[in-house]
Amino acid sequence: MIIDTTEVQTINSFSTSGFFKEVYGLIWIIPILTLILEITIGVLVIVWLEREISAAIQQRIGPEYAGPLGILQAIADGTKLLLKEDLLPSRGDIRLFSVGPSIAVISVLLSYLVIPFGYRLVLADLGIGVFLWIAISSIAPIGLLMSGYGSNNKYSFSGGLRAAAQSISYEIPLTLCVLSISLRLEIGRNDQVVLPYDSDLDSSTVDIVEAQSKYGFWGWNLWRQPIGFLVFLISSLAECERLPFDLPEAEEELVAGYQTEYSGIKYALFYLASYLNLLVSSLFVTVLYLGGWNFSIPYIPIPELFRINQMAGIFGMTIDIFITLAKAYLFLFISITTRWTLPRMRIDQLLNLGWNISFTYFSR
């Protein structure tokens, strides 16, 4: 029997390429699973921090029985919601009712793809990174509107309409803040006051962080655009539907808004989406205005001071992640404190703030 060597080489190359494709597919799953695990832990920490800070503000004890210092209380609540009965409205649209919470969670999870936790710790370093986040986040109100309409409840439908109106009102100033940072980055790169008509704006999150690392913390966009930072901060709170901007689920007016008819796992998805969105907004505030993973004193870089660059890469990545999360949780502390400090706004005040006051600033 004569064996053709070309056929053998073809079979070996095919099997080898298929093997490497399978290995590459498995390796690609590892960072995604790691990011999901980090996000889950981050949400649990946020829930625990919110309860502890809220208890301190209101002079209460807070959670203390579920684990040491009550750190297992969020896990206990999540387990309880998973085990509760999933009720469906008898006269509602079951398909819209069931798909709405999933859209709200998935749209927020996709935003983590472009968030850098370090110099090379990002799943997708895209040139449209920040604008991709804004585009993806605009899908979440569609899920809330579907949930409100599918519930066949006037309170739920009113909450869904409020969520859509609020999102449209505050995504425009949010986009203008990001656009101003991208313009400043492009002007600084080209050394031109007026950009060419065909120039491409770079909104890569990694490039935005690197552009702020030149002069230490004095190079942060917080000092270059302080009013833009305040507008972005307010718009982020409105996007997260946190007090004083939680009009879509105002319990005094709408029972629970678009969540009124939900229970069990579907209610847990809304609960999860709100905290995921809060963490995303905190991380983007860190990336856009607080220098991301960079933390250095002018002319005395912290990595060179502690010789981090000469140490193992894993230790340097750990320092980058720690600095990024420390800045993000500082914003979280501000948002949690705001929730128990300021009263809820009326819907007309909310829309007036989003359309008139913000556009007055940007028009100047």
Side-chain angles (χ1 to χ4, degrees), residues 126-128 131 177-205 207-212 221 224-225:
L126 304 177
I128 57 170
F131 291 110
C177 290
V178 174
L179 184 62
S180 63
I181 292 178
S182 300
L183 283 171
R184 186 177 183 85
L185 177 63
E186 197 68 24
I187 290 173
R189 180 178 300 172
N190 297 330
D191 294 329
Q192 297 178 3
V193 179
V194 180
L195 293 176
Y197 177 75
D198 57 347
S199 63
D200 297 329
L201 289 180
D202 187 4
S203 60
S204 170
T205 51
D207 292 344
I208 290 175
V209 174
E210 287 295 318
Q212 302 177 66
N221 289 326
R224 298 171 179 173
Q225 300 181 7

Side-chain angles (χ1 to χ4, degrees), residues 315-353:
F315 182 75
M317 291 180 182
T318 305
I319 294 296
D320 291 344
I321 294 174
F322 176 78
I323 293 174
T324 303
L325 293 180
K327 295 177 182 179
Y329 277 92
L330 175 63
F331 172 76
L332 284 170
F333 176 79
I334 295 174
S335 62
I336 293 173
T337 307
T338 304
R339 176 180 180 180
W340 301 103
T341 305
L342 300 178
R344 180 181 294 115
M345 301 178 67
R346 297 196 314 265
I347 186 65
D348 60 316
Q349 295 173 335
L350 179 74
L351 298 180
N352 180 63
L353 178 65

Side-chain angles (χ1 to χ4, degrees), residues 34-251:
T34 305
L35 181 62
I36 293 175
L37 179 61
E38 293 176 354
I39 292 171
T40 305
I41 296 175
V43 169
L44 294 177
V45 173
I46 293 173
V47 175
W48 178 77
L49 279 177
E50 180 162 29
R51 292 183 173 181
E52 289 291 335
I53 295 173
S54 304
I57 292 175
Q58 298 176 348
Q59 297 182 349
R60 295 186 289 106
I61 297 176
E64 61 174 347
Y65 294 107
L69 300 177
I71 58 176
L72 300 179
Q73 185 63 51
I75 299 178
D77 292 340
T79 305
K80 179 189 70 174
L81 289 174
L82 290 175
L83 298 177
K84 291 185 70 174
E85 182 181 2
D86 186 16
L87 301 176
L88 300 175
S90 59
R91 298 183 180 180
D93 192 324
I94 304 302
R95 288 179 297 180
L96 295 180
F97 185 83
S98 302
V99 172
S102 302
I103 293 178
V105 174
I106 293 174
S107 61
V108 180
L109 283 176
L110 291 176
S111 303
Y112 285 91
L113 294 175
V114 296
I115 296 178
F117 293 89
Y119 179 66
R120 295 181 180 177
L121 293 175
V122 58
L123 287 179
D125 184 14
L126 304 177
I128 57 170
V130 186
F131 291 110
L132 179 65
W133 163 58
I134 295 175
I136 292 175
S137 63
S138 63
I139 303 175
I142 299 177
L144 304 184
L145 188 59
M146 292 169 60
S147 302
Y149 181 79
S151 299
N152 193 25
N153 184 307
K154 60 181 180 180
Y155 296 114
S156 301
F157 188 55
S158 298
L161 291 176
R162 284 187 176 187
Q166 183 169 322
S167 175
I168 294 172
S169 301
Y170 283 90
E171 277 187 357
I172 298 176
L174 201 69
T175 306
L176 291 176
C177 290
V178 174
L179 184 62
S180 63
I181 292 178
S182 300
L183 283 171
R184 186 177 183 85
L185 177 63
E186 197 68 24
I187 290 173
R189 180 178 300 172
N190 297 330
D191 294 329
Q192 297 178 3
V193 179
V194 180
L195 293 176
Y197 177 75
D198 57 347
S199 63
D200 297 329
L201 289 180
D202 187 4
S203 60
S204 170
T205 51
V206 176
D207 292 344
I208 290 175
V209 174
E210 287 295 318
Q212 302 177 66
S213 62
K214 187 175 181 181
Y215 302 105
F217 61 82
W218 291 117
W220 293 356
N221 289 326
L222 170 64
W223 316 117
R224 298 171 179 173
Q225 300 181 7
I227 302 179
F229 171 73
L230 292 177
V231 173
F232 189 89
L233 192 70
I234 295 172
S235 301
S236 299
L237 289 177
E239 280 285 313
C240 297
E241 299 170 4
R242 302 279 300 182
L243 268 169
F245 306 107
D246 64 335
L247 274 303
E249 48 186 278
E251 63 272 7

